[in-house]
Amino acid sequence: MRQRVFQWRRAIIPAATFGFALFPALAVAASAGCGAPAAMNDGWDVSSPRQQHFDDALICAIGPQLHNLTEASPNGVVIVRHGVLVYEAYFTGHDQRWPQQHWGENLPSLPHDASTKHDLQSITKSVVGLLVGIARDRGMINSVETPVLSFFPDYGDLGDPVKTQITVRDLLTMTAGLRWPYKPYLSMARQTDAAPDPYRFVLEQPLVAKSGSWWHYNNGSAEVVGGVLQKSTGRPLDQFAKEALFDPLGITDWEWGKMASGHPGASWGLRLRPRDLAKIGQLVLNHGVWRGQQIVNAGWIKEMTTPQVVRPKFSFGYLWWLDPRSIAGRGFDLIYSSGWGGQCLYIVPSLDLVVVVTAGVYNFDGQGDQDLAGDTVLTKFVLPAATDLAPAR
């Protein structure tokens, strides 16, 4: 059985000491509350769940429930309500570093805590979406309607009349129309990472649809956006992120993996602590403001999280997902980002709420419920636990 460790406040409590809902001891502990997370001087105020209008029994039961849900392979949970950190729990489990040198190798099972960085996988794309807004606000990118090939003048041989119409907006909405087969699973992503020039590799793919007319999930689109940022800002993607986003948020402990070309991977490479990922969510929730500082233009946040592509089961903004959820007859509009393996960042504006879940459901055939931990935390516990709908602030 996978070993689990829950960390609440300053105490580390072995998972084996807990049962779940059927056990009276758990019911007593949950009713007594689980207190506030540890204060770490990292920019977060902390309080108990109850102080931020949560049902203590539901929130405090998250850790024990995930312990029993072994197929969800959870690694961490962080919950922020009304701008205050109210709950966190960590576990022992797998964390995949992309790119893995030997694909499919057995990963070590390691303990996670509040200081442990985690691979964010495709959540990196959403962070890149924020960086585009900062670059536009600084005049480095004039408009999302700018043709992409204008940033790559050395790709003149790719400038056929149709491809010259692909814009930055088409990349942000994944509607560029470029070929990107899903099978074999992860094959195109691996080829992009290994390419001497990953941006040329993506842009030289044949067009299968007119740009702006067809949505197709495409890692390559985000990689080219990363290239656009590097061309327009004149610095590596990770260094622009440090100066423009991480430093203002007080994020000092981070990593950003690189492709074979040496360029940071814009579709996958970021590693953050869950507490720091929650700052990204809070920034979006607060219309680009963190601790009184406007880091990203509020207009960009609105545009980025407005449905640009509407499908029957979801909507898509600028490298962010948008999705309505309903719990017990109550509807919630959800802004979220997700990454391979079960990485989830949920933002619920109507509840003034941010939820981060990291997990290790890493399979190499695209099968399995990778978001099981995140969906369980959000829909079975956090949303039902909210006892008010109006923001407290």
Side-chain angles (χ1 to χ4, degrees):
M1 178 182 293
R2 268 168 52 107
Q3 180 187 1
R4 304 279 201 239
V5 175
F6 304 134
Q7 185 178 32
W8 296 309
R9 304 186 71 175
R10 299 182 185 276
I12 299 179
I13 308 170
T17 63
F18 287 91
F20 190 51
L22 298 180
F23 292 83
L26 176 63
V28 171
S31 64
C34 46
M40 294 180 61
N41 194 30
D42 61 352
W44 284 117
D45 295 326
V46 299
S47 79
S48 69
R50 181 174 298 168
Q51 287 175 295
Q52 302 305 323
H53 305 282
F54 269 133
D55 181 320
D56 263 356
L58 274 173
I59 295 299
C60 297
I62 290 172
Q65 168 68 356
L66 290 188
H67 163 60
N68 284 343
L69 201 63
T70 55
E71 64 270 30
S73 193
N75 289 333
V77 178
V78 168
I79 301 172
V80 176
R81 185 105 200 267
H82 304 318
V84 179
L85 186 67
V86 301
Y87 179 84
E88 62 183 341
Y90 298 98
F91 311 83
T92 292
H94 306 297
D95 181 14
Q96 170 82 48
R97 285 177 175 265
W98 179 292
Q100 190 75 10
Q101 184 177 2
H102 303 292
W103 291 96
E105 70 181 12
N106 291 327
L107 300 172
S109 188
L110 302 173
H112 295 255
D113 59 31
S115 65
T116 306
K117 294 185 294 294
H118 200 284
D119 249 36
L120 302 186
Q121 303 292 336
S122 287
I123 292 178
T124 305
K125 297 178 175 72
S126 300
V127 175
V128 168
L130 286 167
L131 294 174
V132 172
I134 297 174
R136 191 180 73 167
D137 195 41
R138 295 182 179 187
M140 297 168 169
I141 296 174
N142 291 329
S143 168
V144 295
E145 304 302 334
T146 304
V148 171
L149 286 175
S150 68
F151 295 94
F152 301 93
D154 50 331
Y155 293 174
D157 57 309
L158 302 181
D160 65 70
V162 182
K163 281 190 178 178
T164 56
Q165 297 176 24
I166 299 174
T167 66
V168 175
R169 183 183 185 280
D170 294 327
L171 297 177
L172 290 169
T173 58
M174 295 195 178
T175 59
L178 295 166
R179 172 184 176 272
W180 194 266
Y182 290 151
K183 295 182 179 180
Y185 188 59
L186 300 179
S187 173
M188 289 295 286
R190 296 189 206 183
Q191 291 179 63
T192 304
D193 296 344
D197 185 342
Y199 314 126
R200 170 177 281 276
F201 173 79
V202 174
L203 291 170
E204 70 184 5
Q205 297 301 310
L207 283 162
V208 296
K210 181 181 178 181
S211 60
S213 67
W214 179 62
W215 185 88
H216 188 69
Y217 192 81
N218 182 333
N219 269 22
S221 291
E223 293 299 351
V224 177
V225 172
V228 167
L229 282 167
Q230 293 186 143
K231 294 284 188 178
S232 61
T233 66
R235 68 196 84 171
L237 178 63
D238 54 351
Q239 292 308 303
F240 179 62
K242 177 183 185 300
E243 176 265 319
L245 187 62
F246 298 157
D247 286 352
L249 288 174
I251 297 174
T252 59
D253 187 12
W254 56 274
E255 298 175 23
W256 203 314
K258 293 179 170 60
M259 296 180 283
S261 63
H263 298 303
S267 69
W268 53 267
L270 187 57
R271 291 176 62 83
L272 293 178
R273 303 181 313 153
R275 280 183 171 222
D276 286 334
L277 178 56
K279 292 179 181 180
I280 301 291
Q282 192 67 35
L283 183 72
V284 173
L285 181 63
N286 285 351
H287 312 290
V289 174
W290 172 257
R291 297 295 182 246
Q293 179 183 359
Q294 191 80 48
I295 297 173
V296 187
N297 185 280
W300 178 259
I301 298 292
K302 182 177 180 180
E303 183 178 349
M304 182 184 73
T305 59
T306 295
Q308 306 291 332
V309 175
V310 179
R311 302 291 293 270
K313 294 184 178 181
F314 65 86
S315 296
F316 198 72
Y318 292 162
L319 300 178
W320 285 82
W321 301 88
L322 309 161
D323 186 21
R325 297 288 176 95
S326 179
I327 302 294
R330 294 164 60 185
F332 305 93
D333 288 330
L334 189 67
I335 301 167
Y336 72 101
S337 182
S338 65
W340 182 51
Q343 322 323 319
C344 299
L345 169 58
Y346 299 116
I347 303 162
V348 188
S350 65
L351 294 178
D352 204 16
L353 172 68
V354 174
V355 179
V356 168
V357 178
T358 57
V361 187
Y362 297 112
N363 52 61
F364 294 86
D365 58 3
Q367 303 301 311
D369 191 351
Q370 296 191 18
D371 291 344
L372 179 58
D375 286 344
T376 298
V377 169
L378 183 71
T379 62
K380 302 297 185 183
F381 294 92
V382 177
L383 294 182
T387 59
D388 69 326
L389 288 175
R393 291 181 295 139

